[in-house]
Structures are given as structure tokens and as C-alpha cells.
Amino acid sequence: SPDQPKADYILGNVWQNRTWKRAIEVDPQSARGPMAEGDDLHMRKLLVPMRLEDIQFLGQLKLEQIQVDLWPHRDPTPHVHVRIQTNAIRLPLRNPQPKFLQRFLGESQTWLTLFESIVQMSKGVALMNCRSDWRWADFAWAEFNERQLTWRQAITPPIRILEVTCPLRPKGFL
């Protein structure tokens, strides 16, 4: 349909290896599509949700209802902890602010964690400057076996995936 976003990535069969993880890391260079190639100045990784419920829920949210927190770590290898949260579900506050304070401070938000993941990076990446962007992905359905094609009936592509991008550190001054 004309209102549907265009896919930035075309992914292979990410469900061929069963996993307990809520999201898996995919190298964008193993994908196809307009965003797959990238550049030589950044390292990119894609986080693809693995549960049907997460895929459907993320697709229904507005971007302002999703918050992504990135925490860089260097030990033992460079990696970024990713937490994806939403405020789409209103939870009652145990100790709400008095009404007169709400006027000045605004209504406080409760963020519910959808899932967390770790994205591995290579050495030479400036972890403190990493950023995240939501992208759209479709699938190369020809790579799916007959049993896995039931996912096609349950998923309306494109699906929302997270792209984590970190710049490479400069190698020298000149």
C-alpha cells in the first residue's frame, strides 16, 4: 500500500537457528537493500526481534513511544548494551506527584522494558559516539522452508528493526 514504509534492508532467514534471545544481531553486509552497503567510516549492526509478539508490537508503536538506551563497554571486547523501552502502556504510579507539581514539572512517564540485547563491535570503534536508528526490513522469503513460511502469514512486512551505528576511530592525524 502507498502508506506502508519502504524496506531499508532485505534480510535472509534469521529464524533458521533457534535461539532463546529476544533479538539477534545481524551484520548489514549480509543483507540486501538500499541501506545494506554502508560506508568505511562506521560500523553498523542490526537488531532483529525474534518473537512474533515483539515484531507486531514494535510495528504498532509510534517512534515517540520507543526509547533506546545504549551503554558502551570495552571489557573484554568492545560491545554495546541496548535497552528498548516503551511508554505506550500506562502503568499507575505508586507515588504520583501532587497536582500542583504536575503543572510545573509535567506528567512523569513510566517506561516499560521490551527487551535488552548486547551488540558486539570490533576494536577501533568509538563506542561513546554510537547511535541508534529505527529502520524497516523485509525478508528474502525464498530462503524459508515450508514450516517457516507460516511466519509470512503472521508478519506484515516491512518490520521495524534497530540499526546501531558506531564511528570508527581515526587511525592518525593525517
Side-chain angles (χ1 to χ4, degrees):
S1 77
D3 296 338
Q4 208 170 23
K6 298 271 188 239
D8 299 307
Y9 293 98
I10 308 296
L11 302 175
N13 185 354
V14 295
W15 291 283
Q16 65 190 359
N17 299 323
R18 300 293 292 161
T19 180
W20 56 270
K21 296 179 180 180
R22 295 279 298 268
I24 63 161
E25 177 185 315
V26 175
D27 185 349
Q29 293 179 338
S30 68
R32 297 189 310 268
M35 301 286 296
E37 214 166 288
D39 60 44
D40 293 337
L41 303 174
H42 298 87
M43 172 170 273
R44 295 174 304 131
K45 298 291 178 135
L46 305 176
L47 270 183
V48 181
M50 293 303 291
R51 292 186 343 153
L52 182 60
E53 298 88 348
D54 292 334
I55 291 170
Q56 292 172 334
F57 188 61
L58 279 170
Q60 294 174 8
L61 296 176
K62 297 176 186 152
L63 283 181
E64 53 270 9
Q65 293 176 305
I66 309 171
Q67 176 177 298
V68 178
D69 295 329
L70 302 176
W71 292 294
H73 291 267
R74 293 200 178 282
D75 199 26
T77 59
H79 60 279
V80 179
H81 289 246
V82 179
R83 178 181 292 159
I84 299 172
Q85 304 173 95
T86 183
N87 68 351
I89 299 171
R90 292 278 178 196
L91 299 174
L93 297 174
R94 278 191 281 170
N95 299 318
Q97 296 174 348
K99 293 282 185 206
F100 71 93
L101 281 179
Q102 282 183 7
R103 243 183 303 149
F104 295 110
L105 302 176
E107 192 175 329
S108 61
Q109 302 247 341
T110 302
W111 291 91
L112 175 70
T113 299
L114 294 177
F115 54 88
E116 297 174 318
S117 187
I118 296 174
V119 175
Q120 300 296 328
M121 293 291 177
S122 63
K123 292 183 179 179
V125 170
L127 291 174
M128 296 303 291
N129 297 323
C130 293
R131 71 172 197 276
S132 63
D133 296 293
W134 289 103
R135 303 288 184 208
W136 295 103
D138 200 346
F139 296 97
W141 293 107
E143 296 180 17
F144 286 67
N145 66 34
E146 199 170 307
R147 193 173 44 117
Q148 293 164 331
L149 282 176
T150 57
W151 277 80
R152 185 175 187 137
Q153 297 164 347
I155 297 173
T156 305
I159 69 165
R160 190 170 270 157
I161 62 172
L162 187 69
E163 179 185 69
V164 178
T165 305
C166 301
L168 298 175
R169 281 188 290 208
K171 301 221 186 299
F173 291 110
L174 300 176

Short mmCIF file of all heavy atoms in Angstrom, two decimals, residues 112-155:
data_model
loop_
_atom_site.label_atom_id
_atom_site.label_comp_id
_atom_site.label_asym_id
_atom_site.label_seq_id
_atom_site.Cartn_x
_atom_site.Cartn_y
_atom_site.Cartn_z
N LEU A 112 8.41 0.96 30.09
CA LEU A 112 8.42 -0.49 30.25
C LEU A 112 9.49 -1.07 29.32
O LEU A 112 9.51 -0.75 28.13
CB LEU A 112 7.05 -1.04 29.87
CG LEU A 112 6.87 -2.55 29.85
CD1 LEU A 112 6.91 -3.09 31.28
CD2 LEU A 112 5.56 -2.91 29.19
N THR A 113 10.38 -1.90 29.85
CA THR A 113 11.43 -2.51 29.03
C THR A 113 10.83 -3.62 28.17
O THR A 113 10.23 -4.55 28.68
CB THR A 113 12.55 -3.08 29.91
OG1 THR A 113 13.12 -2.01 30.66
CG2 THR A 113 13.63 -3.73 29.07
N LEU A 114 11.00 -3.50 26.85
CA LEU A 114 10.55 -4.54 25.92
C LEU A 114 11.57 -5.66 25.86
O LEU A 114 11.24 -6.82 26.00
CB LEU A 114 10.33 -3.96 24.52
CG LEU A 114 9.20 -2.95 24.38
CD1 LEU A 114 9.16 -2.41 22.96
CD2 LEU A 114 7.89 -3.58 24.75
N PHE A 115 12.82 -5.30 25.60
CA PHE A 115 13.90 -6.29 25.62
C PHE A 115 15.25 -5.60 25.67
O PHE A 115 15.36 -4.41 25.41
CB PHE A 115 13.83 -7.30 24.47
CG PHE A 115 13.78 -6.72 23.10
CD1 PHE A 115 14.93 -6.42 22.41
CD2 PHE A 115 12.56 -6.51 22.47
CE1 PHE A 115 14.88 -5.91 21.12
CE2 PHE A 115 12.49 -6.01 21.19
CZ PHE A 115 13.66 -5.71 20.51
N GLU A 116 16.25 -6.39 26.04
CA GLU A 116 17.63 -5.93 26.11
C GLU A 116 18.49 -6.86 25.27
O GLU A 116 18.16 -8.03 25.10
CB GLU A 116 18.13 -5.93 27.55
CG GLU A 116 17.36 -4.99 28.44
CD GLU A 116 17.77 -5.11 29.90
OE1 GLU A 116 17.95 -6.24 30.37
OE2 GLU A 116 17.89 -4.06 30.54
N SER A 117 19.59 -6.32 24.77
CA SER A 117 20.48 -7.12 23.95
C SER A 117 21.89 -6.55 24.05
O SER A 117 22.09 -5.44 24.55
CB SER A 117 20.01 -7.11 22.50
OG SER A 117 20.75 -8.01 21.72
N ILE A 118 22.84 -7.31 23.56
CA ILE A 118 24.23 -6.87 23.50
C ILE A 118 24.68 -6.95 22.05
O ILE A 118 24.49 -7.97 21.39
CB ILE A 118 25.14 -7.74 24.39
CG1 ILE A 118 24.74 -7.59 25.86
CG2 ILE A 118 26.60 -7.37 24.18
CD1 ILE A 118 25.48 -8.51 26.80
N VAL A 119 25.25 -5.85 21.56
CA VAL A 119 25.74 -5.78 20.19
C VAL A 119 27.26 -5.77 20.25
O VAL A 119 27.86 -4.89 20.87
CB VAL A 119 25.21 -4.52 19.48
CG1 VAL A 119 25.82 -4.38 18.10
CG2 VAL A 119 23.70 -4.54 19.41
N GLN A 120 27.88 -6.76 19.63
CA GLN A 120 29.35 -6.88 19.60
C GLN A 120 29.92 -5.94 18.54
O GLN A 120 29.40 -5.85 17.43
CB GLN A 120 29.76 -8.32 19.29
CG GLN A 120 29.27 -9.33 20.29
CD GLN A 120 29.86 -9.13 21.68
OE1 GLN A 120 30.99 -8.67 21.83
NE2 GLN A 120 29.07 -9.44 22.69
N MET A 121 30.98 -5.24 18.90
CA MET A 121 31.68 -4.36 17.97
C MET A 121 33.13 -4.81 17.88
O MET A 121 33.60 -5.57 18.72
CB MET A 121 31.60 -2.91 18.44
CG MET A 121 30.21 -2.32 18.41
SD MET A 121 29.66 -2.11 16.71
CE MET A 121 28.01 -1.52 16.96
N SER A 122 33.84 -4.34 16.88
CA SER A 122 35.24 -4.70 16.75
C SER A 122 36.11 -3.60 17.36
O SER A 122 35.62 -2.50 17.66
CB SER A 122 35.61 -4.92 15.28
OG SER A 122 35.43 -3.72 14.57
N LYS A 123 37.37 -3.90 17.54
CA LYS A 123 38.31 -2.88 18.05
C LYS A 123 38.42 -1.76 17.04
O LYS A 123 38.21 -1.95 15.86
CB LYS A 123 39.67 -3.52 18.31
CG LYS A 123 39.63 -4.50 19.45
CD LYS A 123 40.98 -5.07 19.75
CE LYS A 123 40.84 -6.02 20.93
NZ LYS A 123 42.08 -6.66 21.28
N GLY A 124 38.73 -0.57 17.52
CA GLY A 124 38.86 0.58 16.64
C GLY A 124 37.56 1.34 16.46
O GLY A 124 37.46 2.21 15.61
N VAL A 125 36.55 1.05 17.29
CA VAL A 125 35.26 1.72 17.19
C VAL A 125 35.15 2.73 18.34
O VAL A 125 35.52 2.43 19.48
CB VAL A 125 34.10 0.69 17.27
CG1 VAL A 125 32.77 1.37 17.42
CG2 VAL A 125 34.11 -0.19 16.04
N ALA A 126 34.67 3.93 18.06
CA ALA A 126 34.46 4.95 19.09
C ALA A 126 33.11 4.68 19.75
O ALA A 126 32.08 5.20 19.34
CB ALA A 126 34.50 6.34 18.47
N LEU A 127 33.11 3.85 20.79
CA LEU A 127 31.86 3.39 21.41
C LEU A 127 31.04 4.51 22.03
O LEU A 127 29.81 4.43 22.07
CB LEU A 127 32.17 2.34 22.48
CG LEU A 127 32.69 1.00 21.98
CD1 LEU A 127 33.09 0.12 23.14
CD2 LEU A 127 31.64 0.31 21.12
N MET A 128 31.70 5.55 22.52
CA MET A 128 30.97 6.65 23.17
C MET A 128 30.12 7.45 22.18
O MET A 128 29.23 8.19 22.58
CB MET A 128 31.94 7.59 23.89
CG MET A 128 32.69 6.91 25.04
SD MET A 128 31.62 6.19 26.29
CE MET A 128 30.94 7.63 27.03
N ASN A 129 30.37 7.30 20.89
CA ASN A 129 29.64 8.06 19.87
C ASN A 129 28.64 7.20 19.09
O ASN A 129 28.21 7.59 18.01
CB ASN A 129 30.63 8.71 18.90
CG ASN A 129 31.50 9.73 19.61
OD1 ASN A 129 31.06 10.42 20.50
ND2 ASN A 129 32.76 9.78 19.23
N CYS A 130 28.29 6.05 19.63
CA CYS A 130 27.32 5.19 18.95
C CYS A 130 25.94 5.82 18.98
O CYS A 130 25.59 6.57 19.90
CB CYS A 130 27.26 3.82 19.63
SG CYS A 130 28.76 2.85 19.45
N ARG A 131 25.15 5.49 17.98
CA ARG A 131 23.76 5.97 17.92
C ARG A 131 22.88 4.84 17.42
O ARG A 131 23.36 3.84 16.88
CB ARG A 131 23.64 7.21 17.05
CG ARG A 131 23.81 6.93 15.57
CD ARG A 131 23.49 8.18 14.73
NE ARG A 131 23.26 7.82 13.37
CZ ARG A 131 24.20 7.64 12.45
NH1 ARG A 131 25.47 7.80 12.77
NH2 ARG A 131 23.89 7.30 11.22
N SER A 132 21.58 5.02 17.58
CA SER A 132 20.64 4.01 17.08
C SER A 132 19.61 4.69 16.21
O SER A 132 19.25 5.85 16.43
CB SER A 132 19.97 3.29 18.25
OG SER A 132 19.20 4.20 19.00
N ASP A 133 19.14 3.96 15.20
CA ASP A 133 18.11 4.45 14.28
C ASP A 133 17.18 3.29 13.97
O ASP A 133 17.63 2.16 13.76
CB ASP A 133 18.72 4.96 12.96
CG ASP A 133 19.62 6.16 13.17
OD1 ASP A 133 19.10 7.22 13.54
OD2 ASP A 133 20.84 6.02 12.97
N TRP A 134 15.89 3.57 13.94
CA TRP A 134 14.92 2.55 13.55
C TRP A 134 14.86 2.48 12.03
O TRP A 134 14.80 3.50 11.35
CB TRP A 134 13.54 2.87 14.13
CG TRP A 134 13.52 2.65 15.60
CD1 TRP A 134 13.58 3.60 16.59
CD2 TRP A 134 13.48 1.39 16.28
NE1 TRP A 134 13.58 3.00 17.82
CE2 TRP A 134 13.51 1.65 17.66
CE3 TRP A 134 13.43 0.06 15.85
CZ2 TRP A 134 13.49 0.63 18.61
CZ3 TRP A 134 13.39 -0.94 16.79
CH2 TRP A 134 13.42 -0.65 18.16
N ARG A 135 14.90 1.27 11.51
CA ARG A 135 14.84 1.01 10.07
C ARG A 135 13.72 0.02 9.80
O ARG A 135 13.17 -0.59 10.71
CB ARG A 135 16.17 0.43 9.57
CG ARG A 135 17.37 1.29 9.84
CD ARG A 135 17.38 2.52 8.97
NE ARG A 135 18.62 3.26 9.20
CZ ARG A 135 18.72 4.55 9.04
NH1 ARG A 135 17.69 5.26 8.64
NH2 ARG A 135 19.87 5.16 9.26
N TRP A 136 13.44 -0.18 8.52
CA TRP A 136 12.42 -1.15 8.09
C TRP A 136 13.11 -2.28 7.34
O TRP A 136 14.06 -2.06 6.60
CB TRP A 136 11.39 -0.47 7.19
CG TRP A 136 10.60 0.57 7.92
CD1 TRP A 136 10.77 1.92 7.85
CD2 TRP A 136 9.54 0.35 8.84
NE1 TRP A 136 9.88 2.55 8.68
CE2 TRP A 136 9.10 1.61 9.30
CE3 TRP A 136 8.90 -0.79 9.34
CZ2 TRP A 136 8.07 1.76 10.22
CZ3 TRP A 136 7.87 -0.64 10.25
CH2 TRP A 136 7.46 0.63 10.68
N ALA A 137 12.60 -3.49 7.53
CA ALA A 137 13.20 -4.65 6.86
C ALA A 137 12.11 -5.57 6.33
O ALA A 137 11.05 -5.72 6.93
CB ALA A 137 14.10 -5.42 7.82
N ASP A 138 12.39 -6.18 5.20
CA ASP A 138 11.57 -7.24 4.64
C ASP A 138 12.46 -8.48 4.61
O ASP A 138 13.61 -8.43 5.01
CB ASP A 138 11.09 -6.86 3.24
CG ASP A 138 9.87 -7.66 2.80
OD1 ASP A 138 9.56 -8.69 3.45
OD2 ASP A 138 9.24 -7.30 1.80
N PHE A 139 11.93 -9.58 4.13
CA PHE A 139 12.68 -10.83 4.15
C PHE A 139 12.78 -11.43 2.76
O PHE A 139 11.89 -11.26 1.93
CB PHE A 139 12.02 -11.84 5.09
CG PHE A 139 12.04 -11.38 6.51
CD1 PHE A 139 10.96 -10.75 7.07
CD2 PHE A 139 13.18 -11.57 7.28
CE1 PHE A 139 10.99 -10.30 8.38
CE2 PHE A 139 13.23 -11.13 8.60
CZ PHE A 139 12.13 -10.49 9.15
N ALA A 140 13.86 -12.14 2.51
CA ALA A 140 14.03 -12.92 1.29
C ALA A 140 13.28 -14.23 1.54
O ALA A 140 13.86 -15.21 2.01
CB ALA A 140 15.51 -13.15 1.01
N TRP A 141 11.99 -14.25 1.26
CA TRP A 141 11.13 -15.37 1.63
C TRP A 141 11.51 -16.67 0.96
O TRP A 141 11.20 -17.75 1.45
CB TRP A 141 9.66 -15.02 1.35
CG TRP A 141 9.17 -13.92 2.23
CD1 TRP A 141 8.92 -12.63 1.87
CD2 TRP A 141 8.89 -13.99 3.64
NE1 TRP A 141 8.51 -11.90 2.96
CE2 TRP A 141 8.47 -12.72 4.06
CE3 TRP A 141 8.97 -15.01 4.59
CZ2 TRP A 141 8.13 -12.43 5.38
CZ3 TRP A 141 8.62 -14.72 5.90
CH2 TRP A 141 8.20 -13.44 6.29
N ALA A 142 12.25 -16.61 -0.15
CA ALA A 142 12.66 -17.83 -0.84
C ALA A 142 13.61 -18.67 0.01
O ALA A 142 13.74 -19.87 -0.21
CB ALA A 142 13.33 -17.48 -2.17
N GLU A 143 14.27 -18.06 1.00
CA GLU A 143 15.21 -18.77 1.87
C GLU A 143 14.52 -19.53 3.01
O GLU A 143 15.18 -20.22 3.78
CB GLU A 143 16.22 -17.79 2.47
CG GLU A 143 17.10 -17.13 1.43
CD GLU A 143 18.10 -16.17 2.04
OE1 GLU A 143 18.35 -16.24 3.26
OE2 GLU A 143 18.62 -15.33 1.29
N PHE A 144 13.21 -19.39 3.14
CA PHE A 144 12.48 -20.01 4.24
C PHE A 144 11.98 -21.39 3.82
O PHE A 144 11.55 -21.58 2.68
CB PHE A 144 11.29 -19.14 4.64
CG PHE A 144 11.67 -17.90 5.40
CD1 PHE A 144 12.38 -16.88 4.78
CD2 PHE A 144 11.32 -17.76 6.72
CE1 PHE A 144 12.73 -15.74 5.47
CE2 PHE A 144 11.67 -16.62 7.42
CZ PHE A 144 12.38 -15.62 6.80
N ASN A 145 12.01 -22.35 4.75
CA ASN A 145 11.45 -23.66 4.43
C ASN A 145 9.92 -23.60 4.60
O ASN A 145 9.37 -22.60 5.05
CB ASN A 145 12.09 -24.77 5.27
CG ASN A 145 11.77 -24.67 6.75
OD1 ASN A 145 10.69 -24.26 7.15
ND2 ASN A 145 12.73 -25.07 7.57
N GLU A 146 9.26 -24.66 4.25
CA GLU A 146 7.79 -24.67 4.23
C GLU A 146 7.19 -24.39 5.61
O GLU A 146 6.23 -23.65 5.75
CB GLU A 146 7.29 -26.02 3.71
CG GLU A 146 5.87 -25.98 3.24
CD GLU A 146 5.50 -27.26 2.51
OE1 GLU A 146 6.24 -27.63 1.58
OE2 GLU A 146 4.51 -27.86 2.91
N ARG A 147 7.79 -24.97 6.65
CA ARG A 147 7.28 -24.77 8.01
C ARG A 147 7.46 -23.31 8.46
O ARG A 147 6.61 -22.74 9.12
CB ARG A 147 8.01 -25.70 8.97
CG ARG A 147 7.39 -25.83 10.32
CD ARG A 147 8.10 -26.89 11.11
NE ARG A 147 9.54 -26.77 10.96
CZ ARG A 147 10.37 -26.52 11.95
NH1 ARG A 147 9.93 -26.43 13.16
NH2 ARG A 147 11.66 -26.42 11.74
N GLN A 148 8.57 -22.70 8.08
CA GLN A 148 8.85 -21.33 8.48
C GLN A 148 8.03 -20.32 7.70
O GLN A 148 7.90 -19.17 8.11
CB GLN A 148 10.34 -21.02 8.31
CG GLN A 148 11.21 -21.81 9.27
CD GLN A 148 12.67 -21.80 8.83
OE1 GLN A 148 12.97 -21.72 7.64
NE2 GLN A 148 13.57 -21.92 9.79
N LEU A 149 7.44 -20.72 6.59
CA LEU A 149 6.63 -19.80 5.81
C LEU A 149 5.35 -19.39 6.55
O LEU A 149 4.69 -18.44 6.16
CB LEU A 149 6.30 -20.39 4.44
CG LEU A 149 7.45 -20.31 3.44
CD1 LEU A 149 7.08 -21.02 2.14
CD2 LEU A 149 7.85 -18.88 3.16
N THR A 150 5.02 -20.09 7.63
CA THR A 150 3.87 -19.65 8.43
C THR A 150 4.12 -18.28 9.03
O THR A 150 3.19 -17.54 9.31
CB THR A 150 3.55 -20.66 9.56
OG1 THR A 150 4.72 -20.80 10.37
CG2 THR A 150 3.14 -22.00 9.00
N TRP A 151 5.40 -17.92 9.20
CA TRP A 151 5.73 -16.57 9.68
C TRP A 151 5.25 -15.52 8.69
O TRP A 151 4.82 -14.45 9.09
CB TRP A 151 7.24 -16.44 9.86
CG TRP A 151 7.72 -16.98 11.16
CD1 TRP A 151 7.95 -18.28 11.47
CD2 TRP A 151 8.00 -16.25 12.34
NE1 TRP A 151 8.36 -18.40 12.77
CE2 TRP A 151 8.41 -17.16 13.33
CE3 TRP A 151 7.96 -14.90 12.67
CZ2 TRP A 151 8.77 -16.78 14.60
CZ3 TRP A 151 8.34 -14.52 13.95
CH2 TRP A 151 8.72 -15.44 14.89
N ARG A 152 5.31 -15.86 7.41
CA ARG A 152 4.87 -14.88 6.39
C ARG A 152 3.39 -14.53 6.56
O ARG A 152 2.99 -13.40 6.33
CB ARG A 152 5.14 -15.43 5.00
CG ARG A 152 4.81 -14.41 3.95
CD ARG A 152 5.18 -14.85 2.57
NE ARG A 152 4.97 -13.74 1.67
CZ ARG A 152 5.79 -13.40 0.73
NH1 ARG A 152 6.89 -14.06 0.54
NH2 ARG A 152 5.50 -12.38 -0.05
N GLN A 153 2.60 -15.50 6.97
CA GLN A 153 1.18 -15.24 7.19
C GLN A 153 0.96 -14.37 8.42
O GLN A 153 0.01 -13.62 8.50
CB GLN A 153 0.42 -16.55 7.32
CG GLN A 153 0.47 -17.39 6.06
CD GLN A 153 0.05 -18.83 6.31
OE1 GLN A 153 -0.05 -19.27 7.44
NE2 GLN A 153 -0.19 -19.56 5.23
N ALA A 154 1.87 -14.47 9.40
CA ALA A 154 1.72 -13.74 10.65
C ALA A 154 2.36 -12.36 10.62
O ALA A 154 2.01 -11.49 11.40
CB ALA A 154 2.31 -14.56 11.79
N ILE A 155 3.32 -12.15 9.72
CA ILE A 155 4.06 -10.88 9.66
C ILE A 155 3.61 -10.09 8.45
O ILE A 155 3.51 -10.62 7.35
CB ILE A 155 5.58 -11.15 9.56
CG1 ILE A 155 6.08 -11.85 10.80
CG2 ILE A 155 6.34 -9.85 9.34
CD1 ILE A 155 7.52 -12.29 10.68
#
